[in-house]
Amino acid sequence: MFSTESLTAVWLATSDEQAAGASRTIRRDYSDGGDTMANANNTARAFLPRPAEQLTLPKPPISGPSESAFTTTFGTLLPPVQHLQTPVGKAAFYSLAPITPTPTSSVNPPSRVLLLHGIQTPALGLLPLTTALHESHPQVHFVLLDLWGHGLSDTPFLPHTPSLFHQLIDGLLDHLSWPSAHFLGYSFAGATTAGYVATRSDRVDSFVLVAPAGLMRIKDFTAEEQTYFGGETGDEAQAHDWIINWLEDGGDLMPEDWRARVGKGEVVPAAVRQWQKRQHPGHVASIVSMLRDGGALDGQKVFAEAVRKDLGSLVVLGETDDVCSVTDLEEVGFKNVHIIKGAGHGVVRERVPEVSALISTFWDGLQTETEV
């Protein structure tokens, strides 16, 4: 069995200077001659081990792209990247520091917030919501993290189990000298956040889940589909293709004007997703491992345990979300669930003002006596 628990607990932090920058299938890519996607993955195939496999010798992580490669395409929307060197790979994070002093009233908004993204779209995808929250809560220190295999973070050559992500969060909080934080987890990171609350509640002041994954059941898939998740087909390349195609619902179409929109400072998620598949050689492998082994399915017990920790929590859900439902959430004990009419799973980006308002109201009502 793999375990990162036995790895040294040394976490070294480095920071990169910001480079000067301009401005759902596996087989889609950029074409420099136009704005369409060609049916080809432009990076070499990588296949990560499963939790039950034995690895005789440790393998180095698959390196993430450089900041300059990212900013050349998407500009410098994010703050300068900082890197956290861990025993299993290097992770990228971005810090939005407070711009006003923290209020001293007895009912305080949070002072430290960690935002965690979903599968495929990295930290940049949460920037519009983070910006809105930073404007309404300028006294808060916000940090966005690129999860393993996303954005500029490496892909550890290990099964992407929940503990791999929990240890990454531990290391980041330690580096920031944050004994605890308020968490916001979107989609896959909703499951990651729930697992972190369930196992490390002393480091969580409150948590917000936006369109959380983790409550879909493997039994609801066909027998053939279950073999792709289980890696039982004998053809990992075919399984990877099927999983990515399922995630992208048959295609991840790029808007024709994506370059112009990026040039105006807009976040275009489809462009970021396709860029990762072209530029990050471990990205697709991380996606598949996260979906298979990272807690994205059958997480009812984990979510129920998170609820039992009795921390302040809020769930924001799109009315037509096909990954999570109100019934799913009620079955594991969540009560503070807010539905945004007409929104789907992309609610975190598509309805930023409404999502931000709900989170702000929730935070403003918190008692944060434990914060230091």
Side-chain angles (χ1 to χ4, degrees), residues 79-266:
V81 67
Q82 299 179 64
H83 282 134
L84 179 72
Q85 185 65 51
T86 83
V88 299
K90 184 170 66 174
F93 67 95
Y94 313 87
S95 177
L96 285 77
I99 56 179
T100 62
T102 304
T104 58
S105 59
S106 60
V107 180
N108 294 321
S111 62
R112 303 178 296 262
V113 174
L114 178 62
L115 300 103
L116 304 171
H117 63 79
I119 286 181
Q120 293 186 290
T121 306
L124 182 64
L126 291 179
L127 184 61
L129 176 61
T130 307
T131 300
L133 291 170
H134 201 205
E135 290 174 354
S136 62
H137 291 78
Q139 77 287 340
V140 175
H141 186 179
F142 292 93
V143 169
L144 295 131
L145 172 66
D146 278 335
L147 296 177
W148 294 127
H150 288 71
L152 307 184
S153 290
D154 292 348
T155 290
F157 203 86
L158 291 165
H160 283 28
T161 57
S163 64
L164 190 71
F165 294 97
H166 297 166
Q167 290 164 26
L168 172 60
I169 295 168
D170 285 341
L172 180 58
L173 295 183
D174 290 346
H175 165 65
L176 294 169
S177 297
W178 287 6
S180 61
H182 297 262
F183 279 63
L184 189 156
Y186 167 61
S187 192
F188 172 82
T192 302
T193 298
Y196 199 81
V197 172
T199 58
R200 294 157 167 84
S201 60
D202 59 318
R203 304 208 72 170
V204 182
D205 296 317
S206 76
F207 63 103
V208 175
L209 308 181
V210 182
L215 295 174
M216 297 181 72
R217 294 171 169 84
I218 190 67
K219 69 179 181 62
D220 292 333
F221 292 88
T222 68
E224 179 183 0
E225 290 168 344
Q226 290 180 36
T227 65
Y228 294 124
F229 287 115
E232 300 152 1
T233 64
D235 186 342
E236 275 294 90
Q238 181 187 33
H240 277 213
D241 284 350
W242 184 88
I243 288 172
I244 300 299
N245 190 64
W246 175 77
L247 276 172
E248 296 178 346
D249 197 20
D252 196 11
L253 299 178
M254 289 281 288
E256 293 182 0
D257 62 345
W258 75 268
R259 293 183 189 274
R261 290 165 58 184
V262 167
K264 295 176 181 177
E266 183 178 342

Side-chain angles (χ1 to χ4, degrees), residues 2 45-53 55 59-62 88 148-149 154-161 164-165 230-231 236 240 280-293:
F2 281 106
R45 296 272 189 174
F47 304 102
L48 299 177
R50 302 302 300 279
E53 294 180 36
L55 189 66
K59 290 190 176 183
I62 302 169
V88 299
W148 294 127
D154 292 348
T155 290
F157 203 86
L158 291 165
H160 283 28
T161 57
L164 190 71
F165 294 97
E236 275 294 90
H240 277 213
H280 195 316
H283 176 62
V284 170
S286 282
I287 289 174
V288 173
S289 191
M290 290 163 75
L291 189 61
R292 282 174 163 174
D293 302 318

